[in-house]
Amino acid sequence: MISGFPVRIAGTGKYIPEKVMTNFDFEKILDTSDEWIVTRTGIRKRHFAGEGVKCSDLAYKAGLAALEDAGIDASELDLVILATNTPDTVCPSTAAKIQGMLGAVNAGAYDVLAGCTGSLTAMLTAVTGIASGVWKNVLVIGSEDFEDVLDWSDRSTCILFGDGAGAAVLTRSEDGGPRFAAGEVKADGSKYRLITIDKEEGRDNPVLRMHGAEVFKFVNVHLPPFIKSFCEKAGVEPAEIGFWVLHQANTRIIDSLFKRLGVSTERTLMNLEQYGNTSAASLMVTLDEAMKSGSIKSGEKVLFMAFGAGMTLGALLYEA
Ligand code: UT7
């Protein structure tokens, strides 16, 4: 359980780049079909950043939107955390670049790399730091620019991913107001080769490789018991969760999770169909869409869930 000062979501934002690639576009360059992709993943199209646009550019726009939504000036931020697997540079952090772009002159900045669990991990870090009194206002951004790291001839992987960014301003709350109640992250490093972005001979850029079927199996075996045990420790039944903010990787994974928890899929928002898997951005984009569409009702319990490279798993409980 999270103790200390209560922490709430003050505002959210997203930025999805304009360039679109549909399943039909993939049919023209790969031995694949719209029917295969939709049936196996739930994805119909995804967006890409385009030539010369970087992770920081998408993140900056999402961050700006979240600040505007929160009614907070960049100078009031104590910290900017960026969750990404596709930073502009390995060093310095892309978060530092964004801090400069935003003019968040009083804020520290660093990147979090935890696969698709990155933005959940960044949120948990922000929440515990605000709860302890170290920070008051933290901007958490998830942003991905996969276009340059995809192998466009690998049909089992390149059809899954898309670019985008989402952000949230987390701030100290009032007693009795909305608050994050619990959080947990886990890793199984023995499976770290299942999803990688690494250098390969003969390639200019690092390339994303995924053992899709093994990832699918890992997640289906480990995710339901992880969520069940998280709920138990947080003292909440899955049936009591009013809304689920989920990492968007594959509709079959979500359907199977909800079936095993006995939860209706009506209590979540899926956008995988439009954006594909935007990895560290996915949870933040989904959060923004859930907040803006009024899907999250005041007073209800909200569960955030993510999983990804590492392998990593994460959950957060929010009382809206
Ligand atoms: O967010 C990070 C976490 N990542 C994930 O959650 C991804 C988890 N994994 C998955 O979502 C699924 O494993 C995939 C969607 C990646 C693949 O689906 P699958 O049902 O596990 O397929 P598979 O890899 O077992 O392949 C089945 C067949 C193979 O053909 P053969 O060997 O049976 O003839 C593949 O070559 O499907 C073939 N295949 C394709 N066919 C048409 C693989 N990709 C494609 C494709 N189009 N794009």
Side-chain angles (χ1 to χ4, degrees):
M1 299 298 278
I2 296 164
S3 56
F5 295 108
V7 182
R8 70 180 169 90
I9 299 164
T12 61
K14 71 167 181 196
Y15 178 73
I16 304 294
E18 272 172 33
K19 182 178 169 186
V20 176
M21 190 147 179
T22 66
N23 293 348
F24 298 105
D25 294 324
F26 273 111
E27 283 184 359
K28 292 175 203 151
I29 58 167
L30 286 171
D31 179 15
T32 190
S33 66
D34 174 62
E35 201 252 328
W36 191 95
I37 301 172
V38 172
T39 320
R40 298 291 180 117
T41 71
I43 301 166
R44 289 186 188 275
K45 65 185 178 82
R46 70 290 288 146
H47 294 240
F48 286 109
E51 191 76 31
V53 181
K54 293 194 171 295
C55 170
S56 58
D57 299 310
L58 310 179
Y60 167 72
K61 289 185 178 167
L64 212 56
L67 284 172
E68 199 180 308
D69 190 42
I72 280 180
D73 190 80
S75 64
E76 295 175 72
L77 290 174
D78 302 305
L79 182 67
V80 177
I81 316 182
L82 173 73
T84 187
N85 300 283
T86 52
D88 293 13
T89 48
V90 174
C91 181
S93 74
T94 305
K97 190 171 177 185
I98 298 159
Q99 184 259 14
M101 289 163 90
L102 288 170
V105 289
N106 297 307
Y110 57 86
D111 291 353
V112 164
L113 202 164
C116 303
T117 316
S119 51
L120 190 144
T121 308
M123 280 216 281
L124 181 56
T125 310
V127 168
T128 51
I130 299 168
S132 73
V134 172
W135 304 308
K136 190 154 180 263
N137 298 316
V138 179
L139 176 62
V140 177
I141 312 176
S143 179
E144 299 288 8
D145 173 16
F146 280 116
E147 203 171 5
D148 294 338
V149 300
L150 292 177
D151 176 350
W152 296 92
S153 64
D154 177 0
R155 66 176 184 172
S156 65
T157 303
C158 70
I159 51 103
L160 293 173
F161 293 90
D163 295 346
V169 176
L170 304 187
T171 194
R172 196 186 290 178
S173 187
E174 306 300 322
D175 282 339
R179 63 185 274 270
F180 284 92
E184 186 176 357
V185 285
K186 282 223 177 288
D188 179 355
S190 71
K191 301 283 191 300
Y192 94 101
R193 297 301 308 175
L194 290 190
I195 311 172
T196 54
I197 301 180
D198 210 351
K199 286 183 206 145
E200 275 182 17
E201 223 176 289
R203 285 186 172 273
D204 294 338
N205 292 319
V207 63
L208 193 160
R209 297 283 175 216
M210 184 173 75
H211 300 275
E214 282 178 68
V215 171
F216 194 82
K217 195 173 149 206
F218 176 91
V219 175
N220 277 324
V221 168
H222 295 282
L223 188 62
F226 169 69
I227 297 294
K228 272 187 195 164
S229 121
F230 173 76
C231 286
E232 214 173 286
K233 282 186 253 177
V236 61
E237 290 289 327
E240 286 176 62
I241 306 293
F243 195 80
W244 297 69
V245 181
L246 304 174
H247 166 50
Q248 314 275 315
N250 189 317
T251 42
R252 286 191 292 152
I253 291 176
I254 307 296
D255 289 346
S256 150
L257 172 72
F258 275 6
K259 206 168 160 193
R260 286 165 74 178
L261 295 175
V263 170
S264 156
T265 47
E266 279 165 21
R267 281 194 266 155
T268 191
L269 183 153
M270 296 297 293
N271 53 30
L272 183 75
E273 194 176 279
Q274 308 165 58
Y275 308 136
N277 181 347
T278 60
S279 192
S282 120
L283 202 73
M284 307 307 284
V285 169
T286 308
L287 171 63
D288 180 59
E289 294 189 345
M291 297 290 272
K292 302 280 164 66
S293 62
S295 306
I296 296 177
K297 307 273 181 296
S298 174
E300 76 183 357
K301 291 183 171 37
V302 180
L303 197 132
F304 293 75
M305 175 286 287
F307 57 86
M311 292 295 291
T312 52
L313 298 167
L316 264 176
L317 180 65
Y318 185 59
E319 293 167 2

